Each structure stands twice: as structure tokens, then as C-alpha cells.
Amino acid sequence: MLLLKNIIFKHRNGASTFEINVPKLQFKAGVINAILGKNGSGKTSILHIIGGHIICEQGSIYLFDKDITNEGAKDRQTATVFQTISLFPH
């Protein structure tokens, strides 16, 4: 199980600010889970937060009841598979 609690991430770009606020998001093990939303709504940013590539300003991330919030990306045992294969030319 993967659990995100009280996640807040703010991205500032000049005068504008984009904020992700996730009070609670839970993914159960053994089932297919999906994050749906409009373009620019923060779906990829949430995946980067889970993977440890973006550090959230507040909140906690639990993977199988272990707090991984402060672990580095290489220690989280998570992976991101991008949808577009053209990102990896061969």
C-alpha cells in the first residue's frame, strides 16, 4: 500500500505559483490504480513526489507502512514508467 498524507508542494515560476494539495491519497496493493486529471493538474508532479525526485514542503509518504518521506529516490524502491516511448529513443 502507498499512502500520501497532507502533501503540499508549491512550484513558483516568477509571479505565478502552482500548488498541489493532497489531504489523503491511498493506493492499494494488488489492484490497478490511476491518477486522472486535466493537463497541468499535477499528475506527473505527484509521481515525482512519490519517487523522491521532487521534495514536498509538507506531508508524509508511506510505502507498506514505512515512512519514506525523507528517503532519497534511490532508496524508495519505486519506479516511473513514462507513457510516451519516444522519450527513450533507440
Side-chain angles (χ1 to χ4, degrees), residues 33-58:
N33 296 275
I35 300 174
L36 304 174
K38 295 181 180 181
N39 290 346
S41 63
K43 301 177 300 291
T44 300
S45 294
I46 289 173
L47 293 176
H48 285 296
I49 289 169
I50 292 168
H53 306 289
I54 294 177
I55 304 302
C56 56
E57 296 181 19
Q58 179 181 318

Side-chain angles (χ1 to χ4, degrees), residues 22-39:
V22 181
K24 183 178 179 183
L25 180 61
Q26 182 174 333
F27 298 96
K28 296 188 178 192
V31 298
I32 296 173
N33 296 275
I35 300 174
L36 304 174
K38 295 181 180 181
N39 290 346

Side-chain angles (χ1 to χ4, degrees), residues 11-89:
H11 175 73
R12 293 167 186 87
N13 186 7
S16 64
T17 300
F18 172 75
E19 182 175 319
I20 296 174
N21 186 343
V22 181
K24 183 178 179 183
L25 180 61
Q26 182 174 333
F27 298 96
K28 296 188 178 192
V31 298
I32 296 173
N33 296 275
I35 300 174
L36 304 174
K38 295 181 180 181
N39 290 346
S41 63
K43 301 177 300 291
T44 300
S45 294
I46 289 173
L47 293 176
H48 285 296
I49 289 169
I50 292 168
H53 306 289
I54 294 177
I55 304 302
C56 56
E57 296 181 19
Q58 179 181 318
S60 301
I61 304 167
Y62 297 92
L63 182 60
F64 296 110
D65 298 323
K66 178 184 176 190
D67 187 349
I68 63 168
T69 308
N70 297 314
E71 290 188 5
K74 67 180 180 64
D75 299 322
R76 291 191 182 203
Q77 297 188 13
T78 61
T80 302
V81 178
F82 295 97
Q83 182 177 355
T84 306
I85 192 90
S86 63
L87 291 174
F88 304 103

